[in-house]
Amino acid sequence: MNSPAHSSRCSRRRFLLRGAAGTAAAVVAGRQRGRTAGSGDTNPYAYSVGVHEKTDPALVKYVERRRIDLPWKEARRLAVTPQGNLLVAAGQRLGEVTPDGSAVREVPMAAPLRCVAVAADGTIYAGFRAHLEVFEADGKRRATWEKSPERSWFTGIAVTDDAVFAADAGARVILRHDLAGQVTARIGERDKDRDIPGFVLPSPYLDVEWHPDGLLRVNNPGRHRVEFYTPDGALEFAWGRPTMAIEGFSGCCNPVNLAVLSDGRLVTCEKGLPRVKVYSAHGDFECVVAGTEMFPENAQAGAGDGFGDGTRASLDAVVGPEDRIYILDTVTAQIHVMERKPTANS
Amino acid sequence: MNDSSQPPPRTPAAEGASLADTLRRLARVAAVFCCLTGGILLVQHYRAREADPFKSTEMAELKRQLAAAPKDEALKQRIRELDLHLRQRYFAHLRRSQAGGWLLLIGLAAGVASARRFRKLREQPHLPAFAEDQAERHLAAQARSRRAAGIMGVATAAGLVALAWGADTSLPLGTAVADGAAAVGEAQPATPRLPDQAAFLANWPRFLGPTGAAVSIHTNLPVRWDLESGENVLWKAPVPAPGFNSPIVWGDRVFLCGGNAERRLVLCYDAGTGALRWQKEVPAGPTVTQKQLKELEETGLSASSMATDGLRVYAVFATGDLAAFDLDGRPVWSKALGVPDDPYGHASSLVTHEGRLLLQWDQGYEEDEVSKLSLLDGATGEPVWETPRAFGASWTTPLIINAAGAGQIVTLGASHVVAYNLADGAERWRVDCVGGELTPSPIFAGGLVLATSPSDRVCAIRPDATGELSEDDLVWTEDEEVPDIATPVANEELLFTLATYGVLVCVDVKTGEKLWDHDLEMECNASPAIAGDRLYVFGTDGQVFVGRAAREFGELAKFEMGEPIHASPAFAPGRVFVRGESTLFALGAGGKSDGSGGGVAE
Amino acid sequence: MRARGLFIWIWLLLGLGATVFAAERRFPPPEFETDYVMPVAATPEPRSAAMQYVDLAVLAGGLGLATWLALRRRSRKGLIGLSIFSLVYFGFYRAGCICAIGAPQNVALGLFDNGYAIPFTALAFFILPLAVALFAGRTFCAAVCPHGALQDLILIRPVKVPAWLEAGLGLFPYFFLGAGLLFAATGATFLFCRYDPFVPLFRMNGSFLMVGLGLGLLVLGMFVGRPYCRFVCPYGALLRMAAAVSRWRIRITPNYCTQCRLCEESCPYGAIREPVNLPSTPQALAPDRRRMGRLLVLLPALILATAWLGSRLATPFSKLHPKVALAEAYHAPDRPAAPPPVATPDSLALARADRDPDGLLAEAVAIRKRFRIGGWLFGGWIGLVLGVRLMALSLRPARNDFEPDRSACLACGRCYTYCPNERVRLGLLAPEALPLPPATLAQPPKA
Amino acid sequence: MPSLNQPSSPVSRRDFLRSGARIAGMTGAGALLGLMAQRAGAVTHVWQIDPAKCVRCGRCATDCVLEQSAVKCVHTHAICGYCELCTGYFEPEPNALNTGAENQLCPTAAIIRKFIEDPYYEYVIDEQLCIGCGKCVEGCNRFGNGSLYLQVRHDRCVNCNECSIARVCAGDAFRRVPVDHPYLLKTSH
C-alpha cells in the first residue's frame, strides 16, 4: 500500500481486466456445462420390461367385480370352503372371509402358515414349513402329521376323497398322503427311468392342484411349465415355454401358483410380471384373467421386503363357485374377485 | 516479490540470462504441453459423452434386427464384435483419462516449478519510493474499504432478498403450518382419482347401464321374487318423489331423483340396507314460475335419469335445473338452464365420460335454433365445448362410443342420427333414416349403432364413415313390431326390441334377421335389460318377465310385483334394483340382508 | 438428515434381530450332486481404523512443525518442503477427505442431530488448527492444509489485489461459513465439501463443473495469491478470527524494524500493514469516533434486519435438503400423473414419496421450521460480520513498524528475507550496515 | 513491550483485550470439545447401501466421485436359485440361453456364467468390470430371489464426508455404518 498511486492504479486496472477475463472464461465454461448436462434425469441402465406390462385388452376376458382388503398381514395363499367362503393363510393365522369381503373368523397358528386346502367335507389341511396339520371345519385341530425328515418346505396342498397331495418345495417332490397322514407315494422326483426331469425351484413356489379328470397339475417354475401327473406319479404330459410374451411364462421361474376351473382348464399365476391367465388343459393359451396393470405394487415389490424368508411378491388364485376366480395379491393383501365378461359368444 | 530464502542471484549476468532462458522455455513448453493434454482430455470427455458405449444406437439397432430375425448367426456375430469393441473402447477411455490426468499433473508441476524459478531469477529488487502523508492515505484507503464492504453487504442482502422472494414452494401448507403448528395430517389430499374402466363396468352409472345398451356383467341375480312372501326381496324403500327416471348404482349406493311442483329431490339409498342415506333438494331456478311448475307436473318433472362418474352424481329436471353432488350429498355445483320448450317435459338422461358430463338439451322446434349438445367439466360445470343442434325437442339419451379409433357421441334428432367428436363436439357423420317423436335411445352393439325410428324401423349403422351418409350405407333395417317408447337392448350378438304393447322381438345383430317374436301380453314402457344370459322385462302394471337372452325364445319366470313400473332396472353384484311407482325394490338371492355391498372395486 | 441416528441400535437390532425377528430362514439353494462349493461374497475392508490415528499424528506433527518453522526457525524452505508433503499426504494420498475445511460441518451436524455421532477425527481436525491459531496464528494454512499448500506452490507472478476489493470480497468466507453451518446443522447438505474446488483435482476426478472450477482457480492462483484461501475458505474465516487474538505472531523482522520499507511489496497476500502514526491532535480523531458511535448504534438494527431476512430464506434454502426437495417435487403442480414407462430416478423417488406422503410432508415441514430458526441465526451472523467489519475499518490502528496483519497473515514466510535484520541474522549482511533501531524502542525484542 | 515515552500504551491495552478474547475462545473450544466428545464416536463411519431400500435408479453408476463407481454388484450365492434362465444375466427376451453378447444384460459383461450340473448355473461378478449400474440387480430382484444387490466396496470408496451418491439416491438407501461392520449383506437366514 506504500507504492505510488500511479503504480497502484495501474496494477488495479490490470487486476480488474484479468478478473473480468477469468469471469468470462468461467461463464463460458458454465454455459458449456449447461449444454451438455441433462443426462441425469434418466437412467441409462434401466431394466425395462414395460412393453410386457401392458396387456392387449382384447385378450382380457375377465372383469374385476370386487376388491377385498384383507385385515391380515402376510397373506400368502387362498382356499375355498365348500360354502364358498375364502380361507386365507396369512402369517401365523388362518382367516376366513365371505366372498363379499367381510371377515368371518381367524384361527391363530403356532407357526407361519404356508398353504391351505379344504376337503369336500370341510376338513382343513394346513401346511407349515416342514409339517402338515389337519383341522376340523370349525377350526379345531384334529391332527398334526409327523414332521417330515427331509429339508421340507411345504408350499401347496391338494385334497381328494382319499388322498392329500402336499407339494414339498424343499425336497422337490409331491408327497401323496392317505387321510391318516402316511406318505403313500412320491411324485415328480427326478427319475430317468420314468422320464421325469424333476422340479427346478429357485424359490419356494411349488403348487399342486387336483381335478376330477384324475390328473394332478403341478407347476415346474424353473422349467417354465406345468406338468400333469397321475396319482401314481407317472408324468403324463407337460407344457409351457419361457417368454415374457403373454402366451408364455415370464422371468426365471414361473408360474408360481395354479388353480383349476371346473372343466379342467388351468389358471396360472406369475410373479415378476404379475398376471393371471387361463390355459386349456393341453396348454393352449386362452385368455387373460388379470394383466400386470392390475398389480402395480406387486410388480414393483420384487424380492424386497421379504416375509422374513425372502418371499414376498407373488399371486395366488383359487376358483370359487360359478368359476369365479379369486386372486390374492400378496403385496397389497387384497383379493381381486374376477368374473367372466358377459359376452354372448363366449 | 517472490518467495526466496536466498538473496538475489550473484552469478554473472550472462549465466543467469541463459538459465533464465532455459527456464522460460521449459515453462512455455510445459504450458503448451498442459494445454494440449487438457484439450485432449476435454475432447475425450465430450466424445465419451456423445459415444457412451452403453447407449450405442448401433447396438440397439442391431438388437432390434436380431429380435426380428432371431436365427441370424451373422448378426449375432456382429453384435458380439460391436459389443467387444465398445467395451474395449470404454475401458481404453478410462485408462487414457487416468493417464492424461497424471500427465497433466506432471506437466503442471514442471511448468510451475520452472516458471517460479524463472520469476525468481528475473525478480527486480523492490525499491521503495518515498511516500508522504501516511495517515492521509491510510484514511482514504479505509474509506474505500468501508465502501467496498458496504457494497458487498448490500449486494449479498440483495441476492438473499431475491432468493427469499423469488422462491415459491409447492408444499401444501399455510404459513401457520409452516410455522410449526400441527395439523400436518390435515393437509388436503390430492384430487381423488377417477375410477377406472373396470369399476365403471361393474357399476350402473347411468340410464341403461355403463354401455348404454342395458347389459349387466353380473350374473348371480335372482330369476324370480315374491313381494308377498319376501322371497328374494332384500329390501323395499319408499320413494318420496315421483318420477319416471331409472335408478343408478355406484358402489354401495343407489341414486334416483323425482319431484313435483313443490320440490325436486335427489335421493341416495344404501344398496345394502335400503336406508335413505341422504336426500337433497334441487331448487327451481330464478326464472321458473309456479305456473310453469304446475304445467310441468302434468307431464312429469323428472323423467331424466341421473348419472355418476364415480366422484359425483348429476341430476337434471324438466325445470332446467342441473345439479352436481358428491357421493356424500355435498353440493358441488348447480346451473339453472331455464325451462326447456318441450311438450312432454325434458326426458334425455345424463351421461358421463371420464369425469365429464354430457348434456343433450333439445327443445322447441327446428327453426328456433335453441337446442344444443354440451360437454361439461364435472368438477365445475363449466362447458368444455358446446355444439348447437338444428333440431327440435327429442327425448332420447345420447350414446358415447369408441369406434373408428375415436370417441364419438351418437344422438338422434328430428329425422337424423348424428354423431359428434367426443373431443371437440364437431359433427362427424349423420344419416337421415329416422323420424317421428324420437324416444327410444340409440345403442351400440356388435360394432353397429342401432337407432330406432319409433313404430317404424330399427336401423344399423357402422360408425366408421364421416359426412352425410345415405340410406345405402345402412347395414340393415328391421321393421317388425318396432317400439315407440322402450329402448331396445342388445349384447354383442342379439338385439331385443320391446313394443309398448308387449311384443318382444329378437334380431340377429350382425344381419338384422329376425329370429323370433313373442307376445308377452303386457304393456311396457320400461326398457328391458340383459344380465348374463337373462332378459328382464317389466310391465306398466307390475308384471315381470324373465326370459333367456338366446336365439330361441325361453321363459324363465313370469310374475307380478303389484306396483306399476315405468323405469328400467339397475344391477349390482347379486342385486337388481327396480323402481316402482312409489317404492324402490332391491331383489337378490336369499332375501336376507347379507351385509352392505362394500368393497366394490374403485 | 437421514434417520441415520441410532445406527448403533440398528446394528444391535440386526445382530440380535437375526434370531428374534428373522427367525425364518430363506429357502435354501439347491443341493448339488457334484462337489460344488458355494462362493462367499468378498468384503474388502475399508481403510483400517488405526490409520485415522496416523492422520491425526500427521496433522499434529505438521502443525507443530509448521509453527516451529514459521515462528522460530523462520525457514521459508522448510515451509515449502512441508507444503509439498502436506499436499502429497492430505491432498493426493488422502484425497482431500479428511479435511479441516469440512470439519465444522461435522461439528454442526453433530451438535444439532442427536443421531449423528461425529467421528473423533473430524472433531480433532476441527479443534487442533483452531487451537494452534489461537496461540500461533494461521500456521495450519501455511503448510499443513493441502488446499493452501497447493495454491501457495502454484503462485508464480502475484498481482496485487487492491485493499478495498480485498476488504469487500474478504467478507464472503464469513457468509459462506454461516451458510455452510446452517445447511450442515439442518442436515441438508455439506456445502463446503460439495463446492470444494480442489478435492476433484486430488482425486483426478469429479463433475465437469467442479474440475473446471478447480483448474480455473489454479490458473487464477498463478497470478492472484491463494484466491480460495482469501476469498472463499470458510475454515479460513474461523482461523482468521482465532488468529486475530493469537498469543504469538509472525514478525517480518527478527530484531527491529529499520523502517526501510524493503518488505512492503513482499507479501503476495496483501497482509503487510504499513506503520500508521497517531494524529498529532486528538481532534483529528473526532470523525472516526462519531462514525464508530453511529455504527455501534446501527449494529443491532443491522443484525435484526438481516436476521429477519435470513428467516425468510427458509423456503429456498430448505429445498437443498433432499427430503424437502422430494416433498416439493411430490407436491409440485406439474408432477406427472402417471410414472413414465421406463422408471427414472425421479419417478422412483416419487414412488417412494407416494408410500407415505403425510409422513414426508410432516418431515419436510419440520425441516423447514429448523431452517427458519437457523435462518434467523444465519441472517444475524451476516449483519454482525458486516457491522464488525465496518467498525474495524473505522478504527485507527497505531503501528510503528511494518508488520503483517494477524488475521490475514498466512505465515508463509516470504517476507523474512526482505528484511535486512533477517539477513544479518542469517549472516549475509554485516550488522554495521544497518541503521540503528529507532529511538522509541528502548530494547529490541529478541528474535 | 511497555513504552517509556508514552503515558498510556494502546498496544498493551489491545494485548489485554486479545488475551481476554483468546481465553474466551479457548474456553469456547474447550466447551465444544467437552460437549462433542460425549457424542463423538470412537469409530469412524463409512457409507453403505441398505439393499432393502435400494430402488435400482442407476445413479450409483453415474454419481460417484470416482470415474469407476465404488459401488459394485455383489452376489450372495446362498440365496441364489442357480437358474438356467437368470433374469439378472439375460436380457428380458434372450435370443438363446448362452453367453453371447446379444443375450447379456450387463453392459460391461461383468457377470460370469458357469455350468455346474444340470440344471444349475453359477453366476459370479467380476468387480473389475462392474460399474454398479444395478441393471442385473433389478432383473434378479424383479423376477428372482434378489441375490444380486449393490454394495459400496470399501477398497475403492474414498469415504467422502458427504457421499455424492447418497445425496441423490432415489431410494434414500445410503447410510453411515460403523467401520467395523462396513457391509449390509443379505444372508440366507
Side-chain angles (χ1 to χ4, degrees):
Chain A
M1 249 173 272
N2 220 355
S3 50
H6 169 75
S7 119
S8 141
R9 202 177 304 136
C10 180
S11 72
R12 191 188 308 154
R13 190 182 303 147
R14 226 169 40 217
F15 176 84
L16 289 177
L17 276 175
R18 284 175 190 177
T23 316
V27 166
V28 168
R31 283 265 184 79
Q32 204 66 19
R33 159 83 188 166
R35 267 216 300 278
T36 49
S39 62
D41 53 350
T42 57
N43 178 6
Y45 312 107
Y47 176 91
S48 177
V49 290
V51 283
H52 302 293
E53 290 181 335
K54 292 194 176 53
T55 318
D56 177 1
L59 297 175
V60 183
K61 294 284 165 59
Y62 281 74
V63 66
E64 180 173 12
R65 277 275 314 287
R66 177 165 296 204
R67 200 171 287 189
I68 301 170
D69 277 304
L70 291 175
W72 304 296
K73 283 183 192 150
E74 289 188 29
R76 265 181 225 269
R77 299 298 300 272
L78 291 177
V80 184
T81 66
Q83 294 76 35
N85 280 352
L86 293 166
L87 289 180
V88 189
Q92 296 204 9
R93 56 177 82 75
L94 178 68
E96 183 172 347
V97 291
T98 65
D100 287 340
S102 40
V104 176
R105 60 172 172 165
E106 62 176 82
V107 182
M109 297 282 159
L113 196 53
R114 288 175 189 278
C115 46
V116 62
V118 189
D121 62 359
T123 308
I124 299 167
Y125 295 87
F128 298 86
R129 189 172 69 75
H131 74 282
L132 303 177
E133 291 183 15
V134 188
F135 294 86
E136 306 283 355
D138 60 5
K140 209 159 65 193
R141 179 157 52 219
R142 185 197 297 165
T144 299
W145 288 357
E146 203 176 328
K147 215 172 165 95
S148 172
E150 300 158 274
R151 43 184 227 153
S152 286
W153 198 291
F154 288 110
T155 53
I157 307 180
V159 190
T160 70
D161 291 340
D162 57 355
V164 176
F165 297 92
D168 185 342
R172 275 115 178 131
V173 66
I174 307 291
L175 296 174
R176 178 178 162 185
H177 301 81
D178 60 19
L179 294 185
Q182 291 308 307
V183 175
T184 54
R186 301 171 64 84
I187 301 169
E189 270 182 316
R190 192 172 185 164
D191 188 340
K192 286 215 175 64
D193 300 338
R194 299 177 76 178
D195 266 346
I196 298 176
F199 300 120
V200 180
L201 303 175
S203 44
Y205 295 104
L206 180 66
D207 198 9
V208 55
E209 295 290 340
W210 166 263
H211 186 260
D213 66 8
L215 288 181
L216 287 171
R217 281 97 167 131
V218 187
N219 61 329
N220 195 343
R223 298 191 194 274
H224 298 91
R225 60 184 203 171
V226 181
E227 296 173 354
F228 288 67
Y229 290 91
T230 64
D232 308 326
L235 174 58
E236 290 291 293
F237 57 92
W239 47 259
R241 71 183 182 89
T243 170
M244 293 198 183
I246 195 72
E247 68 273 11
F249 297 126
S250 59
C252 60
C253 27
N254 270 318
V256 286
N257 285 311
L258 304 174
V260 191
L261 290 163
S262 54
D263 57 1
R265 285 177 304 148
L266 211 58
V267 181
T268 63
C269 302
E270 286 170 61
K271 68 181 178 119
L273 275 176
R275 56 192 189 191
V276 180
K277 300 175 295 190
V278 175
Y279 288 83
S280 79
H282 291 279
D284 305 314
F285 167 70
E286 285 199 349
C287 66
V288 176
V289 179
T292 306
E293 301 92 336
M294 195 172 278
F295 315 101
E297 287 105 329
N298 194 305
Q300 288 309 314
D305 303 322
F307 282 168
D309 62 356
T311 62
R312 178 82 170 97
S314 71
L315 297 176
D316 187 25
V318 289
V319 173
E322 298 179 37
D323 270 356
R324 209 174 285 130
I325 299 175
Y326 298 93
I327 304 170
L328 170 68
D329 181 336
T330 60
V331 172
T332 58
Q334 285 176 329
I335 295 176
H336 303 251
V337 184
M338 309 299 297
E339 267 180 24
R340 188 100 187 165
K341 272 186 193 167
T343 46
N345 49 5
S346 62
Chain B
M1 42 172 161
N2 209 326
D3 59 308
S4 151
S5 53
Q6 299 284 327
R10 281 168 294 169
T11 44
E15 195 182 319
S18 90
L19 180 61
D21 280 351
T22 315
L23 286 172
R24 181 158 61 187
R25 221 168 288 133
L26 201 62
R28 283 186 181 156
V29 168
V32 170
F33 174 78
C34 284
C35 287
L36 273 178
T37 321
I40 291 171
L41 280 177
L42 203 67
V43 168
Q44 266 212 358
H45 175 79
Y46 278 104
R47 276 188 43 205
R49 222 175 241 277
E50 280 157 21
D52 188 329
F54 312 131
K55 285 189 283 189
S56 160
T57 48
E58 193 184 353
M59 178 64 102
E61 175 56 30
L62 284 179
K63 284 197 173 173
R64 204 158 40 241
Q65 287 177 16
L66 184 68
K71 296 240 154 42
D72 189 339
E73 288 302 322
L75 197 56
K76 287 185 193 176
Q77 202 51 43
R78 271 177 64 198
I79 289 179
R80 289 168 197 176
E81 280 159 13
L82 177 64
D83 174 74
L84 186 66
H85 168 72
L86 287 175
R87 277 186 282 122
Q88 278 172 342
R89 202 175 66 179
Y90 169 69
F91 285 104
H93 162 73
L94 284 189
R95 278 194 305 276
R96 271 200 304 269
S97 45
Q98 199 68 20
W102 280 108
L103 283 179
L104 195 61
L105 185 72
I106 292 166
L108 205 62
V112 166
S114 42
R116 276 171 64 118
R117 188 88 191 139
F118 170 71
R119 290 300 307 171
K120 201 158 96 177
L121 285 178
R122 278 295 182 84
E123 190 186 22
Q124 298 295 320
H126 170 66
L127 292 177
F130 182 72
E132 275 181 299
D133 208 3
Q134 287 172 335
E136 205 52 39
R137 273 191 307 111
H138 177 80
L139 282 181
Q142 276 208 328
R144 266 202 304 276
S145 294
R146 273 197 303 274
R147 262 202 305 282
I151 290 170
M152 178 73 181
V154 168
T156 306
L160 293 182
V161 164
L163 200 60
W165 274 270
D168 56 351
T169 175
S170 48
L171 294 189
L173 30 83
T175 336
V177 178
D179 276 334
V184 170
E186 288 174 26
Q188 281 296 309
T191 338
R193 270 188 226 158
L194 280 170
D196 57 13
Q197 189 65 16
F200 212 69
L201 286 173
N203 280 293
W204 199 264
R206 51 155 288 195
F207 178 52
L208 302 182
T211 61
V215 175
S216 169
I217 60 167
H218 306 302
T219 51
N220 49 347
L221 302 169
V223 176
R224 65 162 60 238
W225 50 87
D226 187 344
L227 289 171
E228 302 260 306
S229 70
E231 181 204 349
N232 284 348
V233 178
L234 298 171
W235 49 261
K236 296 186 279 189
V239 178
F244 290 135
N245 67 78
S246 304
I248 62 167
V249 179
W250 191 266
D252 55 354
R253 281 154 219 221
V254 185
F255 302 91
L256 45 79
C257 57
N260 49 28
E262 278 152 37
R263 54 176 194 166
R264 272 77 48 210
L265 292 177
V266 173
L267 304 161
C268 171
Y269 292 90
D270 189 303
T273 63
L276 182 64
R277 280 206 176 185
W278 51 265
Q279 68 174 47
K280 292 284 167 181
E281 189 178 340
V282 179
T287 60
V288 183
T289 63
Q290 278 304 314
K291 181 162 167 282
Q292 281 175 319
L293 283 172
K294 283 291 170 206
E295 283 169 11
L296 287 168
E297 201 176 41
E298 305 282 309
T299 52
L301 271 158
S302 186
S304 306
S305 297
M306 295 173 63
T308 177
D309 53 19
L311 298 179
R312 295 165 290 265
V313 291
Y314 309 94
V316 68
F317 295 90
T319 55
D321 293 306
L322 175 63
F325 299 90
D326 72 9
L327 297 184
D328 294 322
R330 285 183 284 267
V332 181
W333 52 265
S334 64
K335 267 179 168 344
L337 304 168
V339 179
D341 175 11
D342 192 323
Y344 302 119
H346 184 77
S348 295
S349 294
L350 298 173
V351 175
T352 65
H353 179 79
E354 292 179 353
R356 290 174 170 172
L357 178 66
L358 183 65
L359 180 72
Q360 182 176 338
W361 199 245
D362 288 358
Q363 53 173 316
Y365 297 92
E366 209 159 308
E367 54 275 19
D368 297 346
E369 295 182 359
V370 284
S371 300
K372 63 182 179 182
L373 182 72
S374 359
L375 189 68
L376 309 177
D377 179 12
T380 61
E382 292 307 311
V384 178
W385 50 254
E386 268 185 1
T387 298
R389 279 165 63 84
F391 306 117
S394 76
W395 301 269
T396 63
T397 298
L399 172 71
I400 298 179
I401 62 173
N402 201 337
Q408 305 186 18
I409 298 168
V410 181
T411 65
L412 303 190
S415 59
H416 281 85
V417 181
V418 188
Y420 304 86
N421 281 332
L422 177 59
D424 54 11
E427 186 173 316
R428 193 179 171 87
W429 54 264
R430 64 161 65 201
V431 51
D432 182 353
C433 64
V434 293
E437 293 189 330
L438 298 170
T439 307
S441 304
I443 62 172
F444 185 58
L448 300 172
V449 169
L450 307 175
T452 308
S453 184
S455 309
D456 172 22
R457 60 176 182 173
V458 178
C459 309
I461 306 146
R462 195 171 296 286
D464 49 9
T466 52
E468 177 95 36
L469 309 184
S470 71
E471 188 77 16
D472 299 338
D473 292 317
L474 301 181
V475 181
W476 51 258
T477 62
E478 202 278 337
D479 54 7
E480 285 187 54
E481 320 284 358
V482 174
D484 60 351
I485 295 181
T487 302
V489 300
N491 58 28
E492 294 302 290
E493 194 184 3
L494 301 170
L495 168 76
F496 301 90
T497 65
L498 177 64
T500 308
Y501 43 87
V503 174
L504 185 65
V505 177
C506 175
V507 178
D508 188 306
V509 166
K510 296 222 161 38
T511 62
E513 175 198 353
K514 187 178 97 174
L515 298 172
W516 50 261
D517 59 24
H518 186 85
D519 189 353
L520 300 177
E521 294 170 346
M522 57 199 210
E523 190 187 335
C524 302
N525 285 353
S527 304
I530 296 176
D533 55 356
R534 295 180 198 148
L535 182 69
Y536 289 83
V537 182
F538 298 87
T540 49
D541 292 327
Q543 308 96 325
V544 182
F545 167 81
V546 183
R548 286 194 189 287
R551 301 186 84 90
E552 288 84 34
F553 174 77
E555 177 179 317
L556 296 170
K558 194 171 179 184
F559 52 93
E560 299 278 332
M561 275 184 80
E563 191 171 317
I565 295 166
H566 296 278
S568 188
F571 298 88
R575 281 176 168 71
V576 187
F577 298 101
V578 178
R579 180 180 191 169
E581 204 168 45
S582 56
T583 317
L584 178 64
F585 301 95
L587 313 160
K592 64 177 169 68
S593 183
D594 58 359
S596 59
V600 170
E602 232 177 83
Chain C
M1 167 155 56
R2 302 172 183 88
R4 76 169 70 94
L6 308 179
F7 47 73
I8 292 173
W9 293 110
I10 291 170
W11 268 104
L12 277 178
L13 289 178
L14 280 179
L16 303 173
T19 51
V20 180
F21 298 115
E24 280 196 86
R25 65 180 162 101
R26 279 169 174 269
F27 188 66
E31 279 183 337
F32 299 102
E33 287 161 9
T34 51
D35 51 357
Y36 167 71
V37 180
M38 206 178 274
V40 176
T43 53
E45 284 301 308
R47 188 169 170 274
S48 154
M51 286 301 284
Q52 60 193 343
Y53 294 97
V54 175
D55 292 342
L56 219 51
V58 171
L59 173 73
L63 276 172
L65 189 61
T67 307
W68 180 72
L69 284 172
L71 268 65
R72 298 287 304 193
R73 187 76 172 74
R74 294 170 66 84
S75 164
R76 169 73 191 148
K77 271 194 172 159
L79 285 171
I80 292 180
L82 184 59
S83 289
I84 293 174
F85 169 78
S86 297
L87 180 63
V88 170
Y89 185 85
F90 289 116
F92 289 100
Y93 168 60
R94 294 292 288 119
C97 275
I98 184 143
C99 150
I101 298 172
Q105 305 170 117
N106 297 67
V107 174
L109 182 62
L111 266 180
F112 292 98
D113 182 350
N114 286 331
Y116 175 70
I118 178 175
F120 77 95
T121 38
L123 191 56
F125 266 74
F126 171 72
I127 290 280
L128 274 181
L130 265 182
V132 169
L134 272 177
F135 286 89
R138 299 169 66 180
T139 51
F140 172 75
C141 300
V144 186
C145 174
H147 289 50
L150 177 65
Q151 294 173 88
D152 205 78
L153 292 171
I154 205 98
L155 181 59
I156 298 171
R157 183 181 178 168
V159 175
K160 196 174 172 69
V161 179
W164 59 268
L165 191 58
E166 177 131 25
L169 292 181
L171 285 171
F172 183 73
Y174 294 96
F175 299 164
F176 192 31
L177 174 70
L181 292 183
L182 172 66
F183 284 111
T186 47
T189 182
F190 283 178
L191 219 52
F192 305 157
C193 302
R194 200 160 155 182
Y195 295 106
D196 188 314
F198 297 125
V199 167
L201 302 184
F202 295 148
R203 294 191 181 129
M204 305 236 258
N205 209 314
S207 78
F208 190 76
L209 177 73
M210 290 317 294
V211 172
L213 211 61
L215 285 175
L217 265 179
L218 272 195
V219 173
L220 183 67
M222 291 177 184
F223 306 103
V224 177
R226 295 206 187 202
Y228 181 79
C229 303
R230 287 156 80 194
F231 305 122
V232 185
C233 181
Y235 192 66
L238 275 175
L239 290 176
R240 232 173 240 275
M241 291 188 282
V245 296
S246 65
R247 174 85 179 77
W248 299 287
R249 61 188 301 192
I250 298 287
R251 287 185 173 280
I252 300 171
T253 172
N255 200 326
Y256 59 91
C257 179
T258 59
Q259 306 278 345
C260 67
R261 296 173 53 195
L262 285 171
C263 63
E264 68 181 359
E265 291 285 287
S266 66
C267 183
Y269 310 128
I272 293 181
R273 304 283 181 260
E274 61 187 6
V276 179
N277 296 328
L278 281 172
S280 43
T281 57
Q283 284 79 5
L285 280 173
D288 284 0
R289 292 210 167 120
R290 278 200 299 278
R291 187 185 305 115
M292 197 70 181
R294 279 201 302 274
L295 282 172
L296 264 176
V297 173
L298 271 175
L299 184 63
L302 181 66
I303 291 178
L304 261 179
T306 49
W308 177 76
L309 173 59
S311 75
R312 310 308 302 167
L313 289 164
T315 302
F317 274 10
S318 61
K319 285 183 185 170
L320 255 69
H321 195 293
K323 282 236 165 71
V324 181
L326 180 59
E328 288 274 0
Y330 183 76
H331 292 283
D334 57 348
R335 173 165 69 105
V342 177
T344 67
D346 289 341
S347 75
L348 289 167
L350 286 174
R352 170 163 62 88
D354 204 25
R355 259 176 266 149
D356 182 16
D358 291 343
L360 179 70
L361 183 60
E363 266 186 279
V365 168
I367 292 164
R368 186 161 289 174
K369 191 184 163 200
R370 266 187 273 156
F371 263 101
R372 182 139 305 162
I373 298 165
W376 281 99
L377 295 173
F378 167 68
W381 167 251
I382 292 206
L384 181 71
V385 167
L386 193 59
V388 168
R389 170 58 61 97
L390 287 175
M391 287 198 298
L393 287 171
S394 301
L395 283 176
R396 189 172 295 200
R399 258 194 308 265
N400 297 321
D401 298 346
F402 280 88
E403 57 185 35
D405 182 82
R406 281 167 188 268
S407 302
C409 176
L410 291 157
C412 67
R414 278 188 174 82
C415 51
Y416 293 155
T417 49
Y418 288 83
C419 182
N421 254 321
E422 174 78 1
R423 288 179 178 251
V424 171
R425 186 181 79 91
L426 295 172
L428 299 171
L429 204 63
E432 306 81 54
L434 291 184
L436 285 173
T440 48
L441 290 178
Q443 283 182 314
K446 290 195 175 72
Chain D
M1 281 167 281
S3 169
L4 302 177
N5 293 3
Q6 286 179 322
S8 77
S9 160
V11 176
S12 71
R13 191 172 65 219
R14 284 183 185 177
D15 274 349
F16 174 74
L17 286 174
R18 270 200 193 102
S19 305
R22 184 163 58 245
I23 290 166
M26 283 162 58
T27 319
L32 189 66
L33 190 67
L35 186 66
M36 297 305 290
Q38 290 177 343
R39 296 194 191 163
V43 288
T44 48
H45 295 91
V46 290
W47 292 97
Q48 194 47 274
I49 300 171
D50 183 347
K53 292 173 86 178
C54 171
V55 293
R56 284 80 65 186
C57 65
R59 280 184 168 157
C60 284
T62 55
D63 280 61
C64 184
V65 296
L66 301 178
E67 175 86 53
Q68 262 205 304
S69 175
V71 174
K72 305 278 173 199
C73 180
V74 298
H75 193 190
T76 296
H77 285 85
I79 55 177
C80 176
Y82 290 83
C83 305
E84 184 185 9
L85 198 177
C86 171
T87 44
Y89 183 83
F90 288 112
E91 290 259 6
E93 287 286 84
N95 180 276
L97 297 188
N98 60 40
T99 56
E102 69 278 12
N103 302 319
Q104 288 196 36
L105 189 64
C106 180
T108 52
I111 309 179
I112 304 153
R113 181 181 195 248
K114 203 174 82 190
F115 175 73
I116 303 172
E117 63 183 60
D118 181 56
Y120 302 122
Y121 289 79
E122 183 199 57
Y123 299 89
V124 180
I125 307 289
D126 181 348
E127 283 192 14
Q128 297 296 323
L129 300 180
C130 176
I131 55 169
C133 68
K135 203 173 178 181
C136 60
V137 176
E138 177 64 11
C140 177
N141 209 66
R142 174 96 189 234
F143 289 99
N145 293 353
S147 59
L148 295 167
Y149 53 98
L150 294 177
Q151 288 281 283
V152 175
R153 304 308 265 172
H154 292 298
D155 49 343
R156 297 165 185 273
C157 176
V158 291
N159 199 23
C160 297
N161 205 359
E162 183 186 35
C163 173
S164 68
I165 313 173
R167 195 164 58 225
V168 295
C169 174
D172 194 18
F174 276 74
R175 64 169 194 243
R176 293 184 172 97
V177 298
V179 72
D180 43 358
H181 291 94
Y183 290 93
L184 298 171
L185 296 177
K186 288 188 178 182
T187 53
S188 56
H189 48 77

